[in-house]
Amino acid sequence: MDDVEPFLAPLTDVARSFTGLTGVPVDLPSALFLRAQLAGLEHPGRTSANGSCHLLRTADGWAAVNLARPDDLAAVPALLALLGSPGEPGSLHTAARRVSATEVVEAAQLLGIAAAVPGSARGARPTVHAERWGERRVRAMTDLRIVDFSALWAGPLCARLLGLAGAQVVKVESTTRPDGARFGTPAFYRWLHEGHDNLVVDFAPGALDEIVAQADVVIEASRPRALRRLGLRAEEFLAARPGRVWVGITGYGRENDRIAFGDDAAVAGGLTGVDPNGDPVFLGDALADPVTGVFAAHAAARSLAAGGGELLCVSMAACAATLADARTRVHPPC
């Protein structure tokens, strides 16, 4: 907590604004640190708290590579080959030192691995980009039905906060791809989804139409092209009925297909600490996830209070950058 505290002023302001809009206090310590506490995660250093993301020294700086899924680990030999170091066991750190940070990140991204150069997303975009696609109509939060297609942490935290404000939340999961958070700490999963209904559906084209038709708010963290294959288009959803809101959470914006998870998105935004030598270390546990969840909930509440009709594009890396920029303004580098 102490390492993160200097960055939190913008998030505290957003949390207070959410409370002003909804009457619901935001428990930031729980939002940011409960998962690590319940899971007994170690304080992070050059490796993230959950052990999947690694800060690698490169020829010109640092790069974060997140081996978050079994497919990512299986792709490491291919990544080594792209970096010019095939067949060297356990040599990702060694291979990274021979090339630039940009080369490491581009090679990882080519294989679908989340990766980032520290601070590369700073100043790139606002935390929330709002687009008007529908007519406005103000409704009470208690009259709203939220359909949450998101997984892991950021989207579900957004849904939790809106649910605490009185909305009905329905979590929707695929029969073949359940929320990965189910395989983490059960107590944390229950905390995120307390009081929510749950539907498990075959994500086939047309199968989600009726579920979405009943929604006033949609929360998702998917690539737009994947949703379009299922027949879901935010613009059509918003135009169909006044007052609706669509919350799309991505790593770098809806127009960018780059994959991201909380730790690498935090690095991209510059939300890192420094060790005694001035080199970067991770802060907290996948901080960009809960930070984005709070920003997204506030953006949704603000839009709904004004009558909705908006597509809210929330960038994890941009949310992290907002906190990093605030730390820089308060404590300028020497």
Side-chain angles (χ1 to χ4, degrees):
M1 177 70 178
D2 291 343
D3 292 344
V4 178
E5 185 69 34
F7 297 89
L8 293 183
L11 191 65
T12 300
D13 290 343
V14 166
R16 286 199 191 107
S17 182
F18 179 84
T19 301
L21 289 164
T22 66
V24 174
V26 180
D27 181 356
L28 284 182
S30 291
L32 297 175
F33 308 116
L34 181 62
R35 186 176 84 159
Q37 292 169 0
L38 291 174
L41 299 181
E42 297 290 333
H43 192 279
R46 211 83 73 210
T47 299
S48 63
N50 66 8
S52 72
C53 196
H54 308 273
L55 278 163
L56 308 176
R57 187 184 291 276
T58 67
D60 62 350
W62 295 88
V65 175
N66 202 340
L67 306 175
R69 304 160 299 182
D71 286 351
D72 299 329
L73 292 169
V76 168
L79 178 57
L80 290 172
L82 287 174
L83 297 177
S85 302
E88 298 180 17
S91 61
L92 189 53
H93 286 267
T94 302
R97 285 177 175 265
R98 299 171 181 162
V99 298
S100 70
T102 298
E103 288 176 285
V104 172
V105 170
E106 289 179 349
Q109 290 172 4
L110 189 64
L111 297 169
I113 298 172
V117 175
S120 56
R122 293 179 75 168
R125 61 182 300 120
T127 55
V128 181
H129 174 69
E131 299 177 4
R132 178 80 175 275
W133 286 95
E135 296 181 11
R136 296 190 185 279
R137 187 175 75 180
V138 177
R139 296 174 59 193
M141 189 72 76
T142 52
D143 294 334
L144 301 180
R145 180 181 176 90
I146 295 174
V147 170
D148 178 19
F149 290 111
S150 69
L152 300 177
W153 196 349
L157 177 58
C158 172
R160 170 183 164 81
L161 292 172
L162 295 174
L164 290 174
Q168 177 195 10
V169 179
V170 180
K171 180 178 179 63
V172 183
E173 294 178 84
S174 165
T175 53
T176 57
R177 294 186 63 183
D179 186 345
R182 287 188 178 277
F183 308 109
T185 305
F188 182 69
Y189 186 88
R190 289 194 297 270
W191 179 81
L192 272 181
H193 299 285
E194 183 180 7
H196 299 177
D197 297 327
N198 186 246
L199 289 176
V200 180
V201 182
D202 178 11
F203 276 32
L208 305 176
D209 292 355
E210 184 176 349
I211 296 170
V212 172
Q214 297 172 1
D216 301 293
V217 178
V218 167
I219 301 171
E220 50 85 9
S222 301
R223 300 176 187 184
R225 63 180 179 178
L227 294 174
R228 286 193 292 269
R229 285 198 294 268
L230 296 172
L232 301 183
R233 291 172 173 80
E235 300 82 359
E236 295 176 1
F237 170 81
L238 295 168
R241 192 167 73 229
R244 285 174 151 182
V245 170
W246 185 289
V247 181
I249 296 173
T250 64
Y252 300 91
R254 285 171 63 85
E255 73 285 353
N256 192 322
D257 271 349
R258 282 180 65 184
I259 190 171
F261 297 100
D263 286 303
D264 53 275
V267 170
L271 187 56
T272 56
V274 293
D275 68 9
N277 297 319
D279 294 326
V281 292
F282 289 103
L283 281 176
D285 170 28
L287 270 185
D289 266 318
V291 168
T292 300
V294 175
F295 271 99
H298 172 256
R302 184 173 58 184
S303 180
L304 289 165
E310 291 184 313
L311 166 59
L312 305 176
C313 310
V314 189
S315 160
M316 293 172 63
C319 290
T322 295
L323 270 63
D325 288 345
R327 174 68 165 82
T328 300
R329 287 195 294 271
V330 175
H331 297 281
C334 298

